Amino acid sequence: MANKAAKPNGKLGVMVVGLGAVTTTFMTGVLMARKGLAKPIGSMTQYDKIRVGRGEDKKYLHYKDIVPLADLNDIEFAAWDVYPANAYESALNAEVLKEKDIEPVKDELVKIVPMKAAFDHDYAKRLDGDNIMKDKTRWEMVEQLREDIRNFKKETGVERVVVLWAASTEVYVPVDDEVHGSLEALEAAMKADDKKRIAPSMCYAYAALKEGAPFIMGAPNTTVDIPAMWELAEQTKMPIAGKDFKTGQTLVKSGFAPIIGTRCLGLSGWFSTNILGNRDGLVLDEPANFRTKEVSKLSTLESILVPENQPDLYGHGNDEDTQYYHKVRINYYPPRNDNKEGWDNIDIFGWMGYPMQIKINFLCRDSILAAPLCLDLVLLSDLAARAGRYGIQRFLSFFLKSPMHDYTQDEVPVNHLFQQYVMLKNAIREMGGYEADEEID
Ligand SMILES: NC(=O)c1ccc[n+]([C@@H]2O[C@H](COP(=O)([O-])OP(=O)(O)OC[C@H]3O[C@@H](n4cnc5c(N)ncnc54)[C@H](O)[C@@H]3O)[C@@H](O)[C@H]2O)c1
């Protein structure tokens, strides 16, 4: 799979599911950067430099000088949403960016009018928009979405498309082998309109992969994290990535936990809480939707600080006394809007078991942190497709809270931020025709 990526031809279509806070911040930032009016800060594809070659031959280069990335000027946007507001109105409603940072690209944003969403109210009870496909079975949703993708290609002349989910978190759909275990079963369930086990997001993913577009899941939904979708991605030779943008608290967690683990300190508990007041917070206020997020957020620590590997350090804390206590909470608090505040209380212990505490208070801006991840995930998925990489893109774990992995084979996901970075760098090297390596820079 270590193929060099082919050069891009023509334009890249970026079709986003959900035209809310994250998406409009992402789109506005790209359009502003194109005009030289803002800088895409936080984006690895635009700023990071990595080493290629060794010894005398080593050089530190931007990604675009190693691999043939699509240029920001070659991106065309489209979106689906439950609400009819165009990207300009939606950006204003989101109140993430100031008007002065939106107005210069108003003309372009106004043209991004959301297509009708494949939506089911039971998957996000707090949403009541009516820009939705009406009375369609799951299979009919798939067919409509495929047509949307084809029409977008025809109308804009884009050569390639990537589909990114930045829509609300759906209620938790437990993986059920009977319908999610194989492509044949999944298709049969879609045709039988199995509303309980086929989330609308699965219709988007299925449609994207069938139309030859990589699919990225930016929310914690299990959508492409099922064997049936892995099979479809293999069949269509398309990359898939997910789940859940790693932005604020989990980014800190996956960067901070290695400090504890590397120095062989003990952990008895980690309590993470957040207050958040945007629409994402509103949807997550519904327990069934929060459950999806909780599963994703909890997974980060467990593979970094592993009780089985270090029972003296990580084997204490909860009722069963098998592991440290780990709890994550998100509280909907409208006054803060998109400016999420996260608190982490970390109870650690050291020499002879003496306890200590670490407190982290992160006053972040959710969509400001998520926007560069959207850009990187889109550009790198498009690149991966051109390099002939398909199926789960493990090198994109760096950007994701709950990286996809083959759990049917007991594969352990890599959650350690710095190991994920090595995977990212090596994938870039390989797609640029260099050898992967683990040399220290
Ligand atoms: N901002 C972050 O830091 C961050 C981090 C990780 C994950 N996420 C996830 O990204 C997603 C987007 O976050 P946001 O703050 O932009 O939320 P948002 O509520 O502002 O926007 C989501 C949009 O998706 C639309 N939507 C819901 N279901 C849809 C469907 N089936 N089809 C089409 N559109 C649909 C909603 O109408 C809404 O406009 C959420 O799932 C969130 O959990 C965000």
Side-chain angles (χ1 to χ4, degrees), residues 34-89:
R34 252 152 58 163
K35 289 197 148 91
L37 297 174
K39 292 193 183 333
I41 291 174
S43 163
M44 307 291 287
T45 55
Q46 309 304 304
Y47 280 99
D48 193 27
K49 281 184 174 180
I50 62 178
R51 176 186 47 74
V52 289
R54 298 183 217 206
E56 302 247 296
D57 295 331
K58 78 173 178 187
K59 297 179 275 198
Y60 289 84
L61 301 175
H62 286 297
Y63 293 12
K64 69 172 171 40
D65 298 322
I66 304 171
V67 286
L69 279 182
D71 193 275
L72 296 194
N73 290 309
D74 291 332
I75 291 179
E76 285 279 345
F77 290 115
W80 293 271
D81 203 288
V82 173
Y83 294 92
N86 64 45
Y88 171 72
E89 293 159 342

Side-chain angles (χ1 to χ4, degrees), residues 23-35 37-40 72 77 97 101 105 109 371 375:
T23 306
T24 54
T25 307
F26 161 48
M27 290 175 171
T28 307
V30 168
L31 297 172
M32 288 288 282
R34 252 152 58 163
K35 289 197 148 91
L37 297 174
K39 292 193 183 333
L72 296 194
F77 290 115
L97 301 171
D101 293 319
V105 290
L109 290 172
L375 178 61

Side-chain angles (χ1 to χ4, degrees), residues 20-22 81 118 166-169 204 218 244-245 247 279-280 293 366:
V22 169
D81 203 288
S168 317
T169 303
Y204 286 98
D244 211 4
F245 302 126
T247 47
R279 196 186 280 158
D280 182 29
K293 197 70 156 183
D366 243 15

Side-chain angles (χ1 to χ4, degrees), residues 99-120:
E99 263 185 76
K100 74 169 180 58
D101 293 319
I102 301 173
E103 286 302 320
V105 290
K106 176 178 175 181
D107 291 353
E108 286 149 283
L109 290 172
V110 164
K111 286 190 205 134
I112 306 171
V113 179
M115 294 172 281
K116 285 195 177 3
F119 182 68
D120 179 339

Side-chain angles (χ1 to χ4, degrees), residues 170-243:
E170 296 175 316
V171 297
Y172 188 55
V173 180
V175 179
D176 182 340
D177 219 35
E178 208 177 288
V179 284
H180 305 134
S182 73
L183 184 54
E184 199 186 339
L186 184 85
E187 286 170 344
M190 284 175 163
K191 287 178 182 157
D193 201 23
D194 184 341
K195 293 191 165 62
K196 273 218 147 31
R197 294 181 290 184
I198 304 292
S201 60
M202 291 176 186
C203 300
Y204 286 98
Y206 183 93
L209 296 174
K210 275 285 191 188
E211 290 301 318
F215 183 87
I216 303 153
M217 175 41 76
N221 309 344
T222 44
T223 315
V224 271
D225 205 9
I226 52 174
M229 290 290 183
W230 306 342
E231 201 182 318
L232 180 57
E234 291 270 324
Q235 195 188 82
T236 57
K237 305 265 180 291
M238 281 297 118
I240 47 177
K243 320 176 296 268

